[in-house]
Amino acid sequence: MPRIAEVRAPAEPSSPEQRARHLRILRAAARLGSEKGLERVQMHEVAKEAGVAIATLYRYFPSKIHLFTAVMAEQIDRFDESVPRPKPGTAPEDAVADVLVLASRQLLSRPTLATAMLQCANSANAAAVADAGRIDMKFRRIVLRTLGIAEPTVVDVTLIRLLMQCWYGVLQSGLNGRVSVPDTESDIRIACRLLLAPRSNAASRTH
């Protein structure tokens, strides 16, 4: 398991040039992570692939946990931009299941990278790795939007947090070969129906 090498806040890109450099690093890490997996990816390889100095890489990402958690956050951002609107007549919990199944298919299409991202995101301390919290917030916004809940209750937030933890576990089982892809998708749909049944707008569901 990679460790966080330093206890310091990573730099945040501010200028267009810095943001472009930051994105090149994330894309380079994703390519190398897809090919090699977390343990075999070396930070100097990522810097070379992205065309940046190693010091620049470490300024933004002090460890591989920072780096691959950020890769996952960036991929969730891109996924959010392409999430289709629920089909008319679809129950909200089933619409969420459709979104999670789509996200799962995209992640499982690159299993080596998915394993790296999940390993890092699940082990990241939110106090040290800001992108871990960004993943949680983005996930919550996607689910709430799909459910049609504008003002979530404490229960809503709790249910979504539990759903996220369940989704991670199901994905990990799929990546480990313990669950088939069809069973993975079936488990996700069952989890959505069970965990989202008590949500605040459940009474408005179409029966």
Side-chain angles (χ1 to χ4, degrees), residues 69-83 96 99-100 103 130-147 149 157 160-161 163-164 167-168:
T69 301
V71 170
M72 185 168 181
E74 192 266 338
Q75 296 213 355
I76 290 176
D77 285 341
R78 283 196 289 153
F79 175 75
D80 185 32
E81 295 171 358
S82 63
V83 173
V96 172
V99 169
L100 295 187
D131 281 312
R134 187 157 72 90
I135 289 171
D136 293 344
M137 288 187 291
K138 176 65 73 171
F139 183 93
R140 185 166 64 227
R141 284 199 295 268
I142 291 172
V143 174
L144 286 171
R145 185 179 67 232
T146 305
L147 288 172
I149 297 176
V157 172
I160 293 171
R161 183 171 64 248
L163 178 61
M164 183 176 186
W167 182 53
Y168 281 170

Side-chain angles (χ1 to χ4, degrees), residues 115-193:
T115 298
M117 292 189 298
L118 286 171
Q119 184 177 344
C120 289
N122 286 336
S123 62
N125 186 309
V129 186
D131 281 312
R134 187 157 72 90
I135 289 171
D136 293 344
M137 288 187 291
K138 176 65 73 171
F139 183 93
R140 185 166 64 227
R141 284 199 295 268
I142 291 172
V143 174
L144 286 171
R145 185 179 67 232
T146 305
L147 288 172
I149 297 176
E151 298 182 5
T153 65
V154 172
V155 171
D156 291 330
V157 172
T158 300
L159 293 173
I160 293 171
R161 183 171 64 248
L162 290 171
L163 178 61
M164 183 176 186
Q165 293 165 354
C166 180
W167 182 53
Y168 281 170
V170 170
L171 283 176
Q172 194 63 63
S173 293
L175 289 166
N176 290 344
R178 295 179 179 178
V179 179
S180 68
V181 172
D183 283 346
T184 295
E185 296 185 1
S186 176
D187 288 351
I188 290 170
R189 294 187 183 281
I190 291 170
C192 287
R193 292 177 187 135

Side-chain angles (χ1 to χ4, degrees), residues 22-78:
H22 189 270
L23 185 58
R24 285 205 313 273
I25 292 171
L26 295 178
R27 300 288 168 83
R31 286 193 296 272
L32 290 169
S34 296
E35 297 168 4
K36 296 187 171 188
L38 182 63
E39 297 300 331
R40 292 178 57 214
V41 170
Q42 301 297 317
M43 295 294 268
H44 69 85
E45 292 178 306
V46 176
K48 182 178 180 181
E49 177 86 3
V52 303
I54 189 68
T56 300
L57 174 60
Y58 276 113
R59 186 163 67 249
Y60 291 127
F61 307 105
S63 73
K64 283 197 280 187
I65 286 182
H66 285 87
L67 178 58
F68 280 93
T69 301
V71 170
M72 185 168 181
E74 192 266 338
Q75 296 213 355
I76 290 176
D77 285 341
R78 283 196 289 153

